């Protein structure tokens, strides 16, 4: 919690910090904490194989939003309407987003992250 105070300037209670050994354990802990069997999880594709397998373990339904590579500049983009359609369901409990994205390497822009939020 001291680290967050120094780095980001806000207080985090030690009771609200979970340490994991890596991404697999962190994703599993997060999904298990906020979801129940039958809930939906939005995942950008292409995706790391970890995400659908974590959904399977906890009986969650993955919903995919496709990242498309631009023919002009090779950058990966998503369709905001496709994302909105994916999260409209009340059973949607999580959206897995990593930036840089694995496996594409896409770094989501501030504008893209703002639209996602």
């Amino acid at each position: 919690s001291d680290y967050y105070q120094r780095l980001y300037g806000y207080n985090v209670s030690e009771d609200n910090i979970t340490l994991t050994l890596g991404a697999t354990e962190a994703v599993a802990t997060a999904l298990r904490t906020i979801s129940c069997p039958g809930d939906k999880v939005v995942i950008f594709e292409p995706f790391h194989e970890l995400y659908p397998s974590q959904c399977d373990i906890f009986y969650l339904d993955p919903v995919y939003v496709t990242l498309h590579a631009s023919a002009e500049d090779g950058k990966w983009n998503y369709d905001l309407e496709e994302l909105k359609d994916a999260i409209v369901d009340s059973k949607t409990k999580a959206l897995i987003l990593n930036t840089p994205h694995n496996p594409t390497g896409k770094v989501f822009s501030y504008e893209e992250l703002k639209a996602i939020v």
Side-chain angles (χ1 to χ4, degrees), residues 11 18-19 38 69 101 106:
N11 293 318
T18 300
L19 300 178
H101 180 263
K106 173 186 178 45

Side-chain angles (χ1 to χ4, degrees), residues 55-103:
C55 290
D56 289 344
I57 290 169
F58 300 119
Y59 303 99
L60 304 172
D61 297 323
V63 179
Y64 300 105
V65 174
T66 304
L67 291 173
H68 301 276
S70 169
E72 297 152 7
D73 60 12
K75 292 184 179 179
W76 293 86
N77 300 295
Y78 68 92
D79 180 326
L80 184 57
E81 291 306 312
E82 182 182 0
L83 178 60
K84 287 179 181 179
D85 290 343
I87 61 175
V88 71
D89 192 322
S90 65
K91 296 290 282 178
T92 303
K93 301 298 182 196
L95 180 146
I96 297 176
L97 173 71
N98 59 320
T99 185
H101 180 263
N102 185 357

